[in-house]
Amino acid sequence: QGEFPGVTTRRQFASMIEDAVMNGESRVRSGGRTAYWNDGTVVIRNPGAADGGTAFRPTNGYDYFLGLH
């Protein structure tokens, strides 16, 4: 969908997520979730979700990440 420029394969997407988790800034959230910020991308790990979480590029960038609780 063009949200992640340069990412065209599942392997590239997985690598981008791994990089955010391993090297990004993190914030602990409610419900056992953890959010990560790296290079314009937010990754939210949710152990309660079947797919493990989500990744996206918020339109308001880092401010979105800072507002997570």
Side-chain angles (χ1 to χ4, degrees), residues 27-30 33 64-69:
R27 297 180 66 106
V28 176
R29 300 189 62 214
S30 62
R33 297 172 296 164
Y64 178 90
F65 177 74
L66 291 177
L68 293 173
H69 301 287

Side-chain angles (χ1 to χ4, degrees), residues 13 17 43-55:
F13 186 65
I17 291 170
V43 175
I44 299 176
R45 290 190 61 178
N46 182 354
D51 63 2
T54 189

Side-chain angles (χ1 to χ4, degrees), residues 40-64:
T41 299
V42 171
V43 175
I44 299 176
R45 290 190 61 178
N46 182 354
D51 63 2
T54 189
F56 57 96
R57 290 183 164 254
T59 55
N60 57 338
Y62 191 65
D63 287 339
Y64 178 90

Side-chain angles (χ1 to χ4, degrees), residues 17-24 36:
I17 291 170
E18 182 179 355
D19 186 49
V21 170
M22 299 300 290
N23 302 307
Y36 301 90

